[in-house]
């Protein structure tokens, strides 16, 4: 006997039991499952935002939220109630602005916990998570439910969302798809089978593209051995069929690679979709093999076929759980290949253009010139913006020039003025205290200035000379050693006076060029000299930080 649905208020407190005249439920492997029930006149009034726990012959089918109600008055009056799975409650929240999670040191479990912590009302917490990948994710003005479901997209295998609503808060699990097998036979409960083979979306070579545009668009070449595409092992059998796959919400090459691998896996063979109409016999037999549950592999031996079809149940539609609970219509396919998954993917991609900020190519140059020697290298510092999605090039050009100064002065000291004329010596006595011109200045004479040990000599006291201004050039170094962030530039590149500093820049823990950080190019000459340099940075900037002032 099927239990009647429980009507719950927004606090999940039971209000009453409902007695629908019809209850239709569609369970989906890819959320969200949905239901619709018809309540006869006289039943309790149901309002949007309330909850209902639904049941089938095997027990609870989960707690659903009322999404829409319509009431009909008259001879055949009543209510028609549309419900969606309780996971839809996550759609009540958004991630405002730009959010980045994951990457090195942050596992899938940690990402999910951070997302679930963003709920305004804590209805869900994380249960089991069978994935430990460290994938980088980013969202911008994204719905919390959409963001959470997208976490599974780049993960390997067939990740499946599972739910435990027997306790509160409800538990959300992310597990590997079950390998349990159920079976349908034409001679045993199976009424109709339709098998469709479709190669319209077949792809054996995939070019994935992520965020950006033109030369700045993200590819997988940097994390795929230099190749911008993936090729399936079915290429020999099916031929080379090339497609371009784009998801501009992805800004990390490793994340793009993982997502593309899963996309190629789902499309490298002709799509096989099986529609099955029949009866679920588990309530009669009690056999696990007769339990036609979403997510299980289903084996269908067909007359005239050498091998049985083995596909996963992705949709189970129950046309009337209350009156014909054994009736079921199944859709079997490889997860991700069904039409519903395709439409959901297209819908998400369409929203990216509306909600995600767009970037722009950016270029800037800086000039630099400084004297240097072996003990005092010339250091040119520059900054890479934290909003730089791609750093295309950091071109450095420099030349060795002569050491340059802009003034000079004569060394200080005394001066002996030689003279055989005794009158000149006597004049020193006569003119004591007076200024006498000398090279580049004057000195004051005293009687002590006369050097009696040198006949006819006049010794001037220690003195200094004025500064002589101008442009004066000195030595030019023979060679220069160049380092970028402490990494030595190849000798050939340094000798040429032109190189791209991109490969020498310091990296973060994920192997990416450090953003929001200072970088430096250091020139250490073999001798005294001067370095004149130009630095030109080309990048692709996405405005995800800052404030409106």
């Amino acid at each position: 006997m099927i239990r009647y649905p429980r009507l719950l208020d927004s606090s999940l407190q039971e209000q009453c039991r409902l007695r629908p005249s019809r209850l239709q439920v569609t369970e989906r492997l890819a959320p969200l499952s949905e239901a619709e029930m018809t309540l006869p006149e006289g039943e309790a009034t149901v309002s949007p935002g309330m909850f209902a726990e639904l049941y089938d012959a095997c027990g609870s089918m989960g707690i659903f939220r009322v999404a829409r109600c319509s009431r009909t008055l008259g001879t055949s009056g009543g209510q028609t109630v549309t419900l969606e799975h309780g996971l839809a409650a996550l759609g009540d929240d958004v991630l405002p602005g730009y959010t980045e999670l994951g990457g090195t040191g942050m596992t899938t479990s940690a990402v999910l916990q951070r997302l679930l912590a963003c709920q305004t009302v804590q209805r869900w917490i994380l249960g089991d998570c069978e994935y430990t990948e460290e994938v980088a994710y980013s969202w911008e003005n994204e719905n919390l439910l959409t963001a959470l479901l997208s976490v599974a997209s780049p993960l390997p295998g067939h990740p499946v969302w599972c739910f435990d609503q027997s306790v509160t808060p409800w538990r959300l699990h992310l597990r590997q798809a079950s390998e349990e097998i159920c079976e349908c036979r034409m001679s045993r409960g199976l009424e109709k089978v339709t098998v469709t083979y479709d190669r319209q979306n077949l792809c054996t070579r995939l070019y994935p593209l992520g965020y950006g545009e033109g030369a700045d668009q993200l590819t997988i070449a940097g994390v795929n051995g230099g190749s911008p595409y993936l090729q399936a092992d079915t290429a020999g059998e099916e031929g080379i069929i090339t497609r371009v796959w784009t998801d501009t919400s992805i800004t990390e090459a490793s994340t793009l690679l993982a997502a593309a691998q899963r996309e190629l896996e789902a499309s490298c063979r002709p799509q096989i979709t099986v529609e099955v109409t029949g009866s679920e016999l588990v309530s009669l037999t009690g056999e696990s093999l007769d339990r036609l549950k979403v997510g299980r592999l289903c084996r269908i031996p067909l007359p005239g076929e050498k091998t049985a079809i083995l596909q996963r149940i992705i949709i189970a539609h129950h046309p009337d759980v209350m009156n014909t609970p054994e009736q079921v219509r199944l859709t079997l396919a490889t997860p991700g290949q069904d039409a519903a998954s395709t439409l959901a993917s297209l819908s998400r991609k369409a929203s990216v253009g509306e909600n995600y900020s767009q970037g722009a190519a950016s270029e800037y140059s800086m000039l630099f010139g400084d004297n240097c020697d072996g003990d005092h290298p010339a250091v040119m510092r520059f900054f890479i913006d934290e909003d730089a999605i791609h750093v295309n090039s950091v071109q450095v050009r420099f030349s060795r020039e002569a050491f340059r100064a802009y003034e000079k002065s004569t060394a200080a000291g005394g001066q002996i003025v030689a003279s055989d004329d005794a009158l000149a010596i006597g004049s020193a006595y006569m003119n004591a205290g007076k200024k006498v011109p000398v090279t580049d200045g004057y000195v004051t004479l005293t009687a002590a200035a006369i050097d009696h040990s040198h006949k006819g000599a006049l010794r001037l006291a220690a003195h200094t000379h004025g500064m002589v201004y101008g442009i004066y050039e000195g030595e030019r170094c023979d060679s220069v050693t160049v380092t970028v962030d402490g990494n030595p530039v190849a000798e050939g590149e340094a000798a040429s006076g032109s190189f791209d500093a991109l490969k020498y820049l310091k990296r973060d823990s994920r192997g990416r060029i450090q953003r929001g950080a200072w970088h430096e190019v250091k020139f250490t000459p073999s001798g005294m000299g001067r370095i004149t340099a130009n630095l030109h940075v080309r990048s692709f900037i996405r405005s995800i930080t800052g404030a409106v002032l």
Side-chain angles (χ1 to χ4, degrees):
M1 180 178 177
I2 307 299
R3 297 175 65 186
Y4 288 117
R6 288 196 310 142
L7 181 64
L8 312 172
D9 63 15
S10 59
S11 300
L12 302 180
Q13 298 299 311
E14 182 174 340
Q15 301 300 298
C16 64
R17 292 280 179 168
L18 298 173
R19 291 168 173 76
S21 57
R22 185 182 66 89
L23 174 58
Q24 172 184 292
V25 181
T26 301
E27 298 178 286
R28 301 181 186 278
L29 182 61
L32 293 168
S33 298
E34 56 196 29
E36 183 179 282
M37 61 180 169
T38 302
L39 298 173
E41 194 169 5
E43 282 293 305
T45 300
V46 179
S47 303
M50 299 182 77
F51 293 86
E53 184 170 15
L54 308 181
Y55 301 89
D56 65 3
C58 295
S60 177
M61 303 180 77
I63 297 178
F64 289 65
R65 186 170 68 171
V66 178
R68 184 175 63 251
C69 298
S70 62
R71 188 176 182 185
T72 303
L73 302 176
T75 54
S76 57
Q79 302 175 74
T80 300
V81 181
T82 301
L83 306 102
E84 55 189 1
H85 192 272
L87 190 66
L90 292 173
D92 295 343
D93 293 293
V94 297
L95 299 175
Y98 181 77
T99 303
E100 183 174 329
L101 296 173
T104 303
M106 192 173 193
T107 63
T108 305
S109 176
V111 171
L112 293 175
Q113 287 175 334
R114 290 283 295 276
L115 288 175
L116 291 172
C118 296
Q119 297 172 85
T120 304
V121 178
Q122 192 76 35
R123 295 199 182 277
W124 291 94
I125 62 173
L126 184 64
D128 301 333
C129 181
E130 297 181 355
Y131 288 87
T132 58
E133 275 69 14
E134 298 179 352
V135 179
Y137 302 91
S138 63
W139 304 275
E140 190 167 356
N141 301 314
E142 189 65 88
N143 176 279
L144 181 57
L145 175 61
T146 305
L148 184 133
L149 295 180
S150 70
V151 170
S153 298
L155 299 179
H158 299 300
V160 174
W161 298 101
C162 302
F163 319 103
D164 179 4
Q165 294 175 286
S166 64
V167 293
T168 54
W170 298 327
R171 268 55 169 177
L172 177 65
H173 309 294
L174 182 58
R175 297 170 174 158
Q176 292 277 1
S178 170
E179 296 303 314
E180 291 182 307
I181 294 178
C182 56
E183 187 175 86
C184 293
R185 290 180 176 271
M186 293 297 294
S187 60
R188 193 168 180 270
L190 198 57
E191 299 173 5
K192 180 182 177 182
V193 179
T194 302
V195 183
T196 302
Y197 298 89
D198 185 357
R199 59 176 288 127
Q200 289 184 346
N201 296 319
L202 183 64
C203 172
T204 58
R205 178 179 289 178
L206 188 67
Y207 283 83
L209 297 175
Y211 184 83
E213 58 185 30
D216 291 305
Q217 191 145 22
L218 181 68
T219 72
I220 62 171
V223 292
N224 192 44
S227 175
Y229 65 83
L230 295 173
Q231 185 159 309
D233 55 9
T234 59
E237 177 185 351
E238 303 290 347
I240 301 295
I241 302 173
T242 305
R243 300 278 187 268
V244 175
W245 178 76
T246 305
D247 187 342
T248 55
S249 68
I250 298 178
T251 59
E252 289 281 346
S254 57
T255 303
L256 181 64
L257 175 64
Q261 287 171 334
R262 188 176 176 195
E263 185 72 19
L264 183 61
E265 181 184 356
S267 58
C268 66
R269 293 177 176 81
Q271 179 179 331
I272 302 175
T273 304
V274 184
E275 299 283 345
V276 175
T277 302
S279 299
E280 185 175 24
L281 304 177
V282 66
S283 59
L284 300 175
T285 67
E287 295 291 335
S288 175
L289 203 63
D290 292 323
R291 178 69 168 119
L292 307 180
K293 184 180 179 181
V294 165
R296 299 184 77 178
L297 291 169
C298 185
R299 181 172 56 234
I300 306 177
L302 295 177
E305 296 287 341
K306 294 182 179 179
T307 58
I309 291 175
L310 184 63
Q311 291 278 33
R312 198 171 297 279
I313 301 175
I314 58 173
I315 300 175
H317 177 73
H318 307 270
D320 192 347
V321 175
M322 302 306 300
N323 300 301
T324 54
E326 74 284 351
Q327 285 294 308
V328 66
R329 187 166 68 246
L330 306 176
T331 300
L332 285 65
T334 300
Q337 287 190 333
D338 59 296
S341 296
T342 302
L343 290 174
S345 176
L346 291 173
S347 176
R348 169 170 163 72
K349 289 179 181 180
S351 72
V352 168
E354 299 176 359
N355 298 328
Y356 283 60
S357 65
Q358 303 304 301
S362 173
E363 298 187 38
Y364 76 87
S365 295
M366 64 178 291
L367 297 175
F368 174 82
D370 199 5
N371 293 322
C372 52
D373 60 23
D375 296 324
H376 304 88
V379 180
M380 177 170 58
R381 302 182 75 230
F382 63 98
F383 192 82
I384 293 183
D385 196 280
E386 55 264 39
D387 288 348
I389 298 299
H390 306 294
V391 182
N392 302 91
S393 66
V394 180
Q395 195 67 37
V396 178
R397 295 178 175 85
F398 70 94
S399 61
R400 294 176 288 109
E401 299 180 358
F403 182 92
R404 177 174 292 187
Y406 298 94
E407 68 279 321
K408 68 179 180 179
S409 65
T410 305
Q415 184 176 356
I416 297 176
V417 180
S419 176
D420 291 330
D421 189 347
L423 291 176
I425 299 174
S427 176
Y429 283 105
M430 297 296 294
N431 294 289
K434 293 186 177 181
K435 291 183 178 180
V436 177
V438 295
T439 305
D440 302 332
Y442 295 87
V443 296
T444 301
L445 296 178
T446 65
I450 300 175
D451 189 345
H452 296 283
S453 64
H454 295 80
K455 182 180 178 180
L458 180 67
R459 182 179 298 279
L460 302 182
H463 56 278
T464 59
H465 301 278
M467 199 71 72
V468 179
Y469 295 96
I471 299 176
Y472 304 92
E473 292 190 341
E475 302 175 27
R476 182 194 303 268
C477 64
D478 296 325
S479 62
V480 63
T481 300
V482 186
T483 62
V484 178
D485 289 339
N487 300 310
V489 175
E491 187 176 338
E493 290 182 308
S496 70
S498 177
F499 64 92
D500 190 345
L502 208 62
K503 60 187 175 183
Y504 301 110
L505 295 174
K506 60 186 175 185
R507 309 287 169 134
D508 60 20
S509 59
R510 293 181 286 176
R512 300 173 70 246
I513 293 171
Q514 283 191 2
R515 270 79 158 170
W518 286 96
H519 299 264
E520 67 176 33
V521 182
K522 183 182 291 185
F523 304 90
T524 305
S526 58
M528 184 175 288
R530 179 179 179 82
I531 296 295
T532 299
N534 174 266
L535 180 136
H536 187 80
V537 178
R538 292 177 58 246
S539 62
F540 190 76
I541 298 290
R542 181 183 184 187
S543 298
I544 54 179
T545 60
V548 179
L549 301 177

